[in-house]
Amino acid sequence: DTTMICEIVDSIDLFYELGGNPDPLGFWMNPSGDTISNMFYNDLDTSGNYHYIVPADTPCPNATAVMTIIVNEENDPGKSDSITLCITGDSIDLFGVLNDTPDSFGLWVNLQSDTVSNIFYPSIDTQGGVFTYKVKGNGICPEESATVNINVNSEFNAGTDDSLSLCESADSFYLFNELGGNPDIGGYWQDRDSNSVSHVFYPSDQN
């Protein structure tokens, strides 16, 4: 008989992999000819032919069955991770976000299960999202996947420059109100020496 197992399986009982109705009084030998237990341990044993031998009374020959074990390696999709990008940032390769060493023959899909490129453009895909990298199973090993969760931040708007000419006796005013464009709230002000200053400007204090 031939038994295929995936490397993620810890162990199997060789006796239960035999066909027919084997007698339970035999013993096992590995591909190197060493006597072993009926348990195959993936982290210790190797693929190959395992012999189950049931000793017979003389002059009858021993009864032997051969069990071929094939261990399939698991394909590697890498390890899931997340990243935050600015909407004005450069494109990124999704493979560079995955941890570990993912196999290169898989495919990327979005949340709608559409196949997508491994190159992500934050200026185009402004909503970000979850992207899944899938690699097909090897032999009886199952399909494996890893995800990249992308968050795209919008760029804040500080407004546009402006200039004013004032009399020192003029009333105080809010600097924010003098900006052009549509500035976002929540920022702070600095003077020409990069010192933090109030958002209220007092012309009489400039002497």
Side-chain angles (χ1 to χ4, degrees):
D1 287 344
T2 298
T3 296
M4 298 181 66
I5 64 174
C6 183
E7 65 177 353
I8 60 175
V9 175
D10 292 330
S11 62
I12 62 170
D13 189 327
L14 295 172
F15 187 82
Y16 289 108
E17 300 299 322
L18 290 170
N21 297 290
D23 291 324
L25 303 177
F27 62 93
W28 287 91
M29 296 181 67
N30 65 17
S32 299
D34 302 318
T35 300
I36 61 170
S37 77
N38 57 300
M39 297 301 298
F40 177 94
Y41 296 97
N42 209 357
D43 59 341
L44 299 175
D45 300 313
T46 61
S47 297
N49 293 328
Y50 288 76
H51 292 76
Y52 180 63
I53 301 170
V54 180
D57 294 330
T58 305
C60 295
N62 293 338
T64 301
V66 179
M67 172 65 62
T68 301
I69 302 294
I70 300 175
V71 179
N72 296 141
E73 291 186 5
E74 183 183 29
N75 289 331
D76 185 7
K79 303 298 182 184
S80 300
D81 207 345
S82 60
I83 189 171
T84 298
L85 304 173
C86 180
I87 194 170
T88 59
D90 295 331
S91 62
I92 64 165
D93 188 334
L94 295 176
F95 278 110
V97 184
L98 290 173
N99 294 308
D100 208 354
T101 53
D103 293 320
S104 60
F105 48 76
L107 58 85
W108 289 92
V109 297
N110 59 20
L111 283 176
Q112 291 73 43
S113 297
D114 299 321
T115 301
V116 296
S117 167
N118 59 294
I119 304 300
F120 179 86
Y121 298 89
S123 60
I124 297 175
D125 299 317
T126 57
Q127 299 303 310
V130 177
F131 297 86
T132 301
Y133 182 61
K134 297 181 178 182
V135 290
K136 64 181 180 180
N138 178 30
I140 66 167
C141 292
E143 177 183 272
E144 297 289 342
S145 65
T147 60
V148 171
N149 189 354
I150 298 180
N151 180 48
V152 179
N153 286 340
S154 298
E155 187 177 36
F156 289 117
N157 184 0
T160 57
D161 297 343
D162 201 354
S163 61
L164 295 173
S165 295
L166 302 170
C167 179
E168 64 179 0
S169 61
D171 293 334
S172 62
F173 61 91
Y174 291 104
L175 293 171
F176 186 86
N177 293 339
E178 303 305 320
L179 289 171
N182 296 289
D184 293 317
I185 61 173
Y188 59 93
W189 288 91
Q190 291 181 331
D191 63 17
R192 68 183 63 186
D193 297 318
S194 298
N195 298 312
S196 294
V197 296
S198 169
H199 63 287
V200 179
F201 185 84
Y202 297 88
S204 59
D205 291 345
Q206 303 310 305
N207 292 327

